[in-house]
Amino acid sequence: KNDGDEVYKVKLTAPNDAECVIYTYGATVTSWKVQGKELLFVSKLAKLDGTKAIRGGIPIVFPQFGPGKLPQHGFARNTNWKVVDQDNKTGDMATVHFELTDSEATRASEWPYRFRLLYKVTLTGTTLSTIIEYENLDSSAFDFTTLMHTYFRTSDVAGVKVKGLDGIKYVDKILGQSDVVETRKDVIVDKNEDRVYVDVPGEVLVDGVGSEDGRVIVKRFNYKDIVFWNPWEEKAKEMSDFGDDEYKEMVCVEAGSVAKPVSLEPGSKWVGGQLLRLAPKA
Ligand code: TA6
């Protein structure tokens, strides 16, 4: 257990040569390996010392997705979380819990509510689940948007195909359009993309993760939307914690509830999150 101030990392292992690493800083998963193959992308220029949100892995976006009253993507990803339950192993599963609660800083922010997040990371031989229990400890209701900002590693971005988005409406933040309907069965990355697919019903498949024949199935719990992002060449150059060519090694497919805020009554809880499964490409 840590008293919540130093940044350190927790490692989980599971059969099938599976492992994952989570930094207490932002409770950011920075590695997920299956059969020894890394499936997440972390920039070689990422800050891992707590001075900036980690550029890669699975940063947690809460209580605000994107720009707004708070700094971009809210404070959860650049705050140190407490480990409240270290590496429990039952059978083939390994789990660790992290906790984030309101602080003087958050109570003084533009989002001043009393809250508690309990983050459960569970690893098995082929899956990684990252689920948050959001609790309103305040006397008034509050709204939030939240998302798992997952950076998948790919051996070649040209081989990435995202399936399960056809027919879904999206907001295109590059073209400034909303209510655009996706018509492609396979969404690919060949330029700067920044889209919010709204109310995605089923599972989303990300092909080309880890290796060209790697497929990760993204299953969501309560999270309604999928954000699809790649900075591509120009914007890659604008990020100090991202290598100029690293846009070729990653794709962000992010599960969250961002198009419409989640409203939480005093004393109530809401659960949201994702389950990632590495499956052989059919
Ligand atoms: O992934 C979607 C997004 O909101 C993009 O607009 C881009 O800003 C990205 O997040 C990264 O944001 P960050 O604040 O981590 O540089």
Side-chain angles (χ1 to χ4, degrees), residues 52-55 59 61 65-67 72-73 77 147 149 151 173 193-195 227-230 239 241 252 254:
K52 176 173 181 171
I54 295 174
R55 177 67 63 196
V61 172
F65 173 71
Q72 164 106 325
H73 291 331
R77 66 175 184 166
L147 166 130
H149 200 294
Y151 288 73
K173 290 164 67 177
E193 296 282 12
D194 194 350
R195 300 169 171 209
V227 171
F228 176 66
W229 176 62
N230 186 297
M239 292 186 279
D241 58 348
C252 278
E254 312 159 24

Side-chain angles (χ1 to χ4, degrees), residues 7 23-28 30 42-43 45-56 59 72-80 151 229 235-236 238-242:
V7 174
Y23 272 68
T24 55
Y25 182 68
T28 313
T30 55
V42 175
S43 171
L45 304 178
K47 294 274 184 225
L48 298 171
D49 59 358
T51 57
K52 176 173 181 171
I54 295 174
R55 177 67 63 196
Q72 164 106 325
H73 291 331
F75 47 70
R77 66 175 184 166
N78 34 38
T79 307
N80 216 31
Y151 288 73
W229 176 62
K235 295 203 175 144
E238 291 163 14
M239 292 186 279
S240 61
D241 58 348
F242 192 88

Side-chain angles (χ1 to χ4, degrees), residues 11 22 27-28 50 115 130-131 162 181 230 248 271:
K11 183 173 174 181
I22 311 107
T28 313
F115 72 92
T130 56
I131 307 282
V162 182
V181 178
N230 186 297
K248 298 174 185 167
V271 179

Side-chain angles (χ1 to χ4, degrees), residues 223-234:
Y223 281 173
K224 293 196 175 317
D225 313 316
I226 291 281
V227 171
F228 176 66
W229 176 62
N230 186 297
W232 211 249
E233 203 165 350
E234 279 84 61

